[in-house]
């Protein structure tokens, strides 16, 4: 029978602990070997030395032995004489977060991303993949305390669920997000190991691990395609800084230190964002049609020539007639290349036309002559007149300030009402003084790409993607135009008025139409009672999605309590105290407008807390929840993507009313309801949304 093994005098646990100790010793030796490298005589100059030293420093950091992070979490024993991938392999492999070898180079721990590790996640009784035994290990504070065996080829052994796997899934959440290498499920592993060549979109219900899957896919791709991605770069894009702080320790724990993180606002920070847009204006600015408006705006200054260009060289004058110049300009316009690239090409085209005339006259000009002609004052003046320089920010400034210019660029694209919606009431005098909104910054980024091509990365992970506008998708797509992407999200959690309608539409805006779409519905985080309660909202907020299930055996604590209006805040405080009696993190989630009153009440009650996004040093990942201060006051607008062991939800009706429309409000409520890992207490004085009322 499979099952968890505890410590006895003669069981194999001591041998496993010995292997762990030996593996840690080998890891320290690997790090010491790198630290002892002397590069003084192997580099030609100080630049090469600096580059090599930085690589060595990164390697040393990647080989750190994290005391409370298990070095290995599983073991595979193969059938006698079996081969893997066509090659003979050893009979036993320890699966862990990184590769560790002994002094002879023999592996002591196999990286979880290696092909030989895949059966740890995929093997089953129906498809054992040559695995005779799969062993999982249990740890307490970094110490190996238990193990659990599955004999996949033994028909006499009854199939039972893994206790250690369940314990790891249900372990209390304190601090930043953890990796899930020990608990990756087969359907998740299939996504994690998807190839670099294609984009994968993951529709995941709350608690299905879609964020972790995306991060682990990055780690896998860096393992399988390290050189290519080292050149091109990788990026994780999250919805806000708090979310990025929460997840930023996952990849370093897996030994990956080079992946950058950013929000969409970070990517498009060409102008300072000082203002906000009404929802209707933001919706128009985020519409994909704005790309055509901006294209017209950028090209609006192009003029057809009316006079020839005359180039004087020595005693000779070379004349390019207006009709020939018009052909050159028309050709560049038809090719639809970047505005800046075309502007750089035009003087060379004019110069080439001059050289053709020189050659016809018996001269033998070379490339140096052509470059000199391209720099001629007459040619430069003609280019400035025909294809004038464009400043992207100034172009967008004019578009949003000048009704006539906007009308000419938006004719047949935007209605008159839509044009009025996005025009600034008070035109700004300059780029620096303008009160740019987040949506405006995306427009500037689009204009900037029309002028100068945006550099592409090798792989981009886009999380909480359902909230992006089409123009934001375009901004992200530019960052992976020659690479691939992992798109993560949940249509039911779209909390912007322009939230994604379908993933097919989103992928088209991203520039990745026809990409693979996977749906995760098996939850590992949210208790079954809680997800079932929240799923009552699905028919109204996302009728096409499947209802999520949960594998958590712990039913969790769940309650919905109606209280008098004057008793709401005291009841919330009492629920927080009750949650603090338990182990783990506590999130008090409330409508943004309710935060000041709740903060005052918490302070008066002497309950230590932190407010998400306030007073948390950027250098302290996950610092909103610590062992000393376990209660976090969370504005509903920032709750997405986060998780707490226990959630106290204050006044659902206020969460719904805080959004511009009911559907968005119900989606925001769905997010708040599904942040709980072990328990949820809902307290309300106002009536609940109809779908949540007791039948």
């Amino acid at each position: 029978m499979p099952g968890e093994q505890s410590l006895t005098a003669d069981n194999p646990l001591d041998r496993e602990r010995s292997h762990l100790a030996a593996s840690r010793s080998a890891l320290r030796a690997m790090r010491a070997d790198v630290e002892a490298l002397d590069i003084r005589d192997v580099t030609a100059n100080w630049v090469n030395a600096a580059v090599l030293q930085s690589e060595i420093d990164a390697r040393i950091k990647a080989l750190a032995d994290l005391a409370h992070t298990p070095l290995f979490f599983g073991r595979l024993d193969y059938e006698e004489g079996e081969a893997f991938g066509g090659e003979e392999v050893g009979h036993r492999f320890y699966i862990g977060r990184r590769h560790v070898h002994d002094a002879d180079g023999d592996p002591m721990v196999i990286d979880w991303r290696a092909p030989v590790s895949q059966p740890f996640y995929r093997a089953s009784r129906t498809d054992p993949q040559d695995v005779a035994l799969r062993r999982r290990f249990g740890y307490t504070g970094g110490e190996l305390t238990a193990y659990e065996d599955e004999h996949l080829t033994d028909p006499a052994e009854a199939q039972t669920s893994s206790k250690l796997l369940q314990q790891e899934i249900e372990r209390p959440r304190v601090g930043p997000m953890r990796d899930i290498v020990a608990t990756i499920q087969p359907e998740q592993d299939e996504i994690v190991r998807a190839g670099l060549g294609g984009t994968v979109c993951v529709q995941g219900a709350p608690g299905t691990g879609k964020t972790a899957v995306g991060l682990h896919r990055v780690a896998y791709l860096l393992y399988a395609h390290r050189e290519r991605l080292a050149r091109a770069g990788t990026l994780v894009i999250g919805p806000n800084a708090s979310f990025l702080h929460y997840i930023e320790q996952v990849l370093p724990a897996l030994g990956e230190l080079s992946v950058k993180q950013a929000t969409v606002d970070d990517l498009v920070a060409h102008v300072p964002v000082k203002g906000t847009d009404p929802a209707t204006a933001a919706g128009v600015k985020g519409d994909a049609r704005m790309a055509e408006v901006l294209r017209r705006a950028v090209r609006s200054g192009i003029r057809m020539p009316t006079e020839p260009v005359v180039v004087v060289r020595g005693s000779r004058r070379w004349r390019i007639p207006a009709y020939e110049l018009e052909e050159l300009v028309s050709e560049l316009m038809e090719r639809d290349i970047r505005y800046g690239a075309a502007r750089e090409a035009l003087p060379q085209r004019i110069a080439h036309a001059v050289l053709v005339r020189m050659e016809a006259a018996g001269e033998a000009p070379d490339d140096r002559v052509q470059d000199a002609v391209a720099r001629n004052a007459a040619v430069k003046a003609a280019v400035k007149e025909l294809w004038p320089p464009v400043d992207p920010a100034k172009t967008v400034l004019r578009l949003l300030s000048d009704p006539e210019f906007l009308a000419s660029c938006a004719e047949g694209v935007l209605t008159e009402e839509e044009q009025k919606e996005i025009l600034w009431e008070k035109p700004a005098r300059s780029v620096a003084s303008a009160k740019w909104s987040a949506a405006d910054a995306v427009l500037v980024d689009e204009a900037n790409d029309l002028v100068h091509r945006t550099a592409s990365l090798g792989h981009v992970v886009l999380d909480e993607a359902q909230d992006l506008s089409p123009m934001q998708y375009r901004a992200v797509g530019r960052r992976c135009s020659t690479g691939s992407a992992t798109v993560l999200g949940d249509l039911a959690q779209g909390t912007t008025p322009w939230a994604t309608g379908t993933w097919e539409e989103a992928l088209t805006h991203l520039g990745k139409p026809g990409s693979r779409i996977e749906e995760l519905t098996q939850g590992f985080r949210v208790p079954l009672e809680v997800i079932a309660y929240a799923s009552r909202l699905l028919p109204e907020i996302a009728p096409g999605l499947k209802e999520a299930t949960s594998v958590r055996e712990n039913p969790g604590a769940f309650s919905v309590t109606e209280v008098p209006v004057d008793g709401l805040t005291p009841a919330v405080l009492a629920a927080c105290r009750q949650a603090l009696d338990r182990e783990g993190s506590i999130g008090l989630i409330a409508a943004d407008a309710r935060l000041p009153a709740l903060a005052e009440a918490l302070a008066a009650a002497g309950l230590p807390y932190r407010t998400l996004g306030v007073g948390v040093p950027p250098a302290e990942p996950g610092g909103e929840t610590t062992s000393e201060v376990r209660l976090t006051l969370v504005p509903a607008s920032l709750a997405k993507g986060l998780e707490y062991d226990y959630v106290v939800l204050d006044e659902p009706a206020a969460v719904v009313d805080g959004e511009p429309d009911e559907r968005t409000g119900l989606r925001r409520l769905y997010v708040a309801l599904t942040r709980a890992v072990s328990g949820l207490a809902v307290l309300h004085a106002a009536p609940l949304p109809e779908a949540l009322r007791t039948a």
Side-chain angles (χ1 to χ4, degrees):
M1 292 286 290
E4 182 180 335
Q5 307 296 313
S6 58
L7 182 60
T8 65
D10 298 316
N11 81 33
L13 193 57
D14 287 337
R15 291 197 296 273
E16 301 292 14
R17 286 173 172 168
S18 295
H19 186 78
L20 176 61
S23 299
R24 289 198 182 279
S25 178
L27 180 61
R28 289 193 295 270
M30 290 169 61
R31 181 168 178 163
D33 287 344
V34 179
E35 291 173 332
L37 289 174
D38 186 351
I39 63 172
R40 287 175 295 182
D41 298 327
V42 298
T43 54
N45 54 58
W46 69 269
V47 175
N48 290 343
V51 171
L52 183 56
Q53 187 61 53
S54 68
E55 292 179 356
I56 290 174
D57 292 342
R59 177 63 175 162
I60 291 171
K61 192 173 182 180
L63 288 171
D65 185 6
L66 306 177
H68 295 290
T69 302
L71 198 55
F72 57 78
F73 48 81
R75 196 184 93 187
L76 291 177
D77 289 7
Y78 282 91
E79 293 280 8
E80 186 74 21
E82 293 291 352
F84 185 87
E87 297 181 7
E88 191 71 24
V89 297
H91 302 303
R92 177 172 297 171
F93 297 95
Y94 286 85
I95 313 300
R97 285 166 172 77
R98 67 196 66 199
H99 174 85
V100 179
H101 59 255
D102 61 18
D104 297 323
D106 294 326
M108 300 188 71
V109 179
I110 300 293
D111 194 302
W112 66 276
R113 298 167 289 187
V116 75
S117 301
Q118 183 171 319
F120 182 79
Y121 303 107
R122 302 275 189 97
S124 64
R125 293 183 182 280
T126 56
D127 180 21
Q129 300 186 23
D130 301 328
V131 175
L133 178 142
R134 174 168 53 201
R135 174 169 289 179
R136 300 182 189 274
F137 297 103
Y139 289 82
T140 303
E143 180 184 355
L144 200 162
T145 55
Y147 70 89
E148 185 180 72
D149 287 346
E150 293 176 88
H151 297 86
L152 299 182
T153 56
D154 183 0
E157 183 178 275
Q159 184 169 354
T160 61
S161 60
S162 168
K163 297 293 184 183
L164 290 180
L165 187 63
Q166 197 70 29
Q167 289 171 11
E168 175 63 20
I169 290 172
E170 297 180 2
R171 186 154 55 97
R173 268 72 171 158
V174 176
M177 182 180 181
R178 305 189 301 260
D179 66 68
I180 61 164
V181 288
T183 61
I184 294 174
Q185 299 300 293
E187 66 274 15
Q188 296 174 323
D189 188 66
E190 185 176 343
I191 297 170
V192 166
R193 297 177 191 266
L196 178 61
T199 288
V200 178
C201 176
V202 182
Q203 157 62 40
T208 54
K210 56 184 176 294
T211 296
V213 166
L215 294 175
H216 286 67
R217 186 180 182 215
V218 170
Y220 172 76
L221 292 176
L222 285 167
Y223 175 88
H225 308 278
R226 189 166 301 280
E227 289 189 9
R228 178 176 171 183
L229 290 179
R231 293 192 303 269
T234 51
L235 175 68
V236 174
I237 302 173
N240 53 58
S242 295
F243 178 81
L244 293 178
H245 287 322
Y246 177 61
I247 68 170
E248 70 180 356
Q249 290 303 297
V250 173
L251 289 169
L254 299 173
E256 300 299 343
L257 308 171
S258 62
V259 180
K260 296 181 179 179
Q261 295 187 163
T263 64
V264 174
D265 290 343
D266 294 332
L267 298 181
V268 300
H270 305 289
V271 293
V273 174
K274 303 175 183 177
T276 57
D277 284 315
T280 49
V284 176
K285 290 179 180 179
D287 194 290
R289 292 173 296 162
M290 287 299 299
E292 173 60 21
V293 176
L294 288 165
R295 192 190 71 83
R296 295 179 184 180
V298 165
R299 291 173 166 257
S300 63
I302 299 174
R303 298 287 181 267
M304 289 300 173
T306 57
E307 297 180 356
V309 170
V310 179
V311 177
V312 178
R313 283 186 60 82
S315 61
R316 302 294 300 270
R317 294 163 59 88
W318 308 98
R319 182 177 182 275
I320 308 300
Y323 76 84
E324 190 169 342
L325 293 173
E326 183 175 342
E327 290 176 358
L328 295 177
V329 173
S330 297
E331 180 192 357
L332 289 173
M333 291 182 68
E334 289 171 2
R335 288 184 60 188
D336 202 29
I337 61 177
R338 293 297 191 280
Y339 187 93
R343 192 171 189 277
E344 291 175 0
L346 183 56
Q348 290 290 335
R349 298 295 178 86
I350 296 174
H352 178 72
V354 172
L355 260 66
V356 169
R357 284 162 171 76
M358 288 181 176
E359 291 170 346
E363 297 188 19
D366 55 18
D367 290 344
R368 290 175 296 177
V369 174
Q370 179 167 326
D371 290 340
V373 172
R375 295 192 300 269
N376 181 274
V379 174
K380 291 169 70 175
V383 171
K384 186 176 181 180
E385 175 66 24
L386 302 176
W387 207 287
V390 167
D391 181 290
K394 288 181 179 179
T395 301
V396 177
L397 180 72
R398 182 185 175 194
L399 197 65
L400 300 177
S401 304
D402 185 341
E404 292 184 1
F405 183 56
L406 175 60
S408 66
C409 295
E411 184 180 1
V413 180
L414 302 179
T415 66
E416 291 185 8
E417 291 74 16
E418 288 172 327
Q419 293 175 38
K420 291 178 182 177
E421 198 67 54
I422 65 175
L423 276 169
W424 288 340
E425 292 183 7
K426 186 178 180 181
R429 294 182 178 179
S430 67
V431 170
S433 65
K435 290 187 177 180
W436 299 100
S437 68
D440 296 334
V442 178
L443 299 182
V444 175
D445 188 71
E446 179 84 23
N448 187 72
D449 184 70
L450 289 166
V451 179
H452 308 291
R453 182 182 294 277
T454 304
S456 176
L457 298 165
H459 192 78
V460 169
V461 174
L462 176 60
D463 205 353
E464 300 296 346
Q466 72 280 345
D467 276 337
L468 269 60
S469 69
M471 291 299 288
Q472 287 175 316
Y473 277 116
R474 290 174 62 88
V476 174
R478 287 191 280 278
R479 271 75 186 180
C480 56
S481 58
T482 59
S484 57
T486 302
V487 181
L488 312 167
D490 180 8
L491 297 179
Q493 296 185 59
T495 51
T496 56
W498 49 85
T500 300
T502 67
W503 289 121
E504 289 82 2
E505 177 186 346
L507 289 165
T508 299
H509 293 313
L510 192 70
K512 309 291 184 183
S515 296
R516 169 182 167 189
I517 300 175
E518 298 285 347
E519 186 171 2
L520 296 176
T521 59
Q522 182 171 261
F524 305 95
R525 173 173 57 79
V526 185
L528 183 59
E529 274 190 290
V530 174
I531 194 64
Y533 182 71
S535 294
R536 295 185 191 180
L537 297 172
L538 285 179
E540 294 186 46
I541 62 176
L545 294 185
K546 298 177 182 177
E547 185 173 330
T549 60
S550 179
V551 301
R552 291 180 64 89
E553 294 181 355
N554 182 351
F558 174 64
S559 64
V560 180
T561 307
E562 183 175 5
V563 297
V565 174
D566 57 358
L568 178 60
T569 298
V572 168
L573 295 178
C576 289
R577 288 194 182 93
Q578 185 177 3
L580 285 166
D581 289 337
R582 302 183 173 100
E583 183 184 5
S585 57
I586 295 91
L588 170 53
I589 303 179
D592 293 32
R594 280 274 292 162
L595 255 63
L598 290 173
E600 183 179 348
L602 288 169
L607 288 175
Y609 74 97
R610 292 193 181 186
T611 302
L612 186 64
V614 178
V616 179
E620 186 182 349
E624 67 276 0
T625 301
T626 67
S627 56
E628 293 78 22
V629 181
R630 295 188 293 122
L631 175 61
T632 306
L633 181 56
V634 185
S637 61
L638 294 181
K640 190 173 300 179
L642 303 180
E643 59 183 31
Y644 299 91
D645 284 288
Y646 293 90
V647 167
V648 177
L649 177 58
D650 170 269
E651 196 60 277
V655 174
V656 177
D657 294 341
E659 301 299 328
D661 60 82
E662 185 180 21
R663 190 192 72 161
T664 303
L666 290 173
R667 286 181 168 184
R668 183 76 72 186
L669 177 58
Y670 181 78
V671 170
L673 288 168
T674 54
R675 298 306 94 200
V677 173
S678 298
L680 170 68
V682 180
L683 296 114
H684 69 101
L688 292 169
E690 186 175 351
L692 297 181
R693 296 172 193 171
T694 303

